[in-house]
Amino acid sequence: MLEESQEDLPQTKLILCEPFILNTGAPAEQWEEWEAKITYYQSVVKQLAEEFNAVFVPLQEAFDIATRRADAAYWLWDGVHPTAAGHDLIAREWLKVVEKSGLLSN
C-alpha cells in the first residue's frame, strides 16, 4: 500500500503511527508475549517510515508516561483499544509531531 501510494500519488505525504500497548486487559494475561510482538511491530513501522520518508509518530512513550497520571485502562480500555482519553492523547501526539515536521505548512 505504501509503495502504491508513492507510485500513484507521488505528492502524497505519509504519516505512520507507532503501534502501542499497555499492561491491562488481555495483554496483562500474557504480557511478555504481547510486549515482544508490539516491540517487533513498532520496529517494523519505524523502519517503514524511514524507508518511505514518512513522518513517524511515536506513541508508546506517550502512553507509558500517561499511565503515571491515570491507570492504563483509562487510556486503553483493554490494553489495545483507546478510550476517549486515549484518542485525545493520540491526536495531541499526532498534531505535535506533524506540526513539528512542517508537513502542515507545505
Side-chain angles (χ1 to χ4, degrees):
M1 184 168 64
L2 297 173
E3 287 175 354
E4 285 182 30
S5 295
Q6 279 193 334
E7 289 174 14
D8 295 343
L9 304 164
Q11 300 304 317
T12 299
K13 305 297 184 195
L14 301 172
I15 303 167
L16 299 180
C17 294
E18 178 181 47
F20 49 85
I21 193 170
L22 290 176
N23 192 353
T24 190
E29 296 171 16
Q30 296 180 324
W31 179 245
E32 291 78 21
E33 291 86 359
W34 281 78
E35 187 177 37
K37 282 183 185 180
I38 203 71
T39 298
Y40 172 72
Y41 298 154
Q42 290 167 338
S43 69
V44 168
V45 173
K46 188 167 188 169
Q47 182 179 10
L48 288 170
E50 291 170 8
E51 182 180 335
F52 287 90
N53 198 30
V55 173
F56 177 74
V57 181
L59 293 171
Q60 186 64 58
E61 183 178 9
F63 275 108
D64 291 342
I65 291 169
T67 62
R68 297 178 197 158
R69 297 190 315 265
D71 186 67
Y74 176 79
W75 306 102
L76 305 176
W77 65 271
D78 63 352
V80 178
H81 297 97
T83 61
H87 282 289
D88 183 66
L89 185 147
I90 293 166
R92 289 175 187 272
E93 291 300 311
W94 190 96
L95 283 170
K96 179 173 66 176
V97 171
V98 173
E99 285 176 347
K100 187 176 179 179
S101 77
L103 193 65
L104 295 178
S105 61
N106 291 337

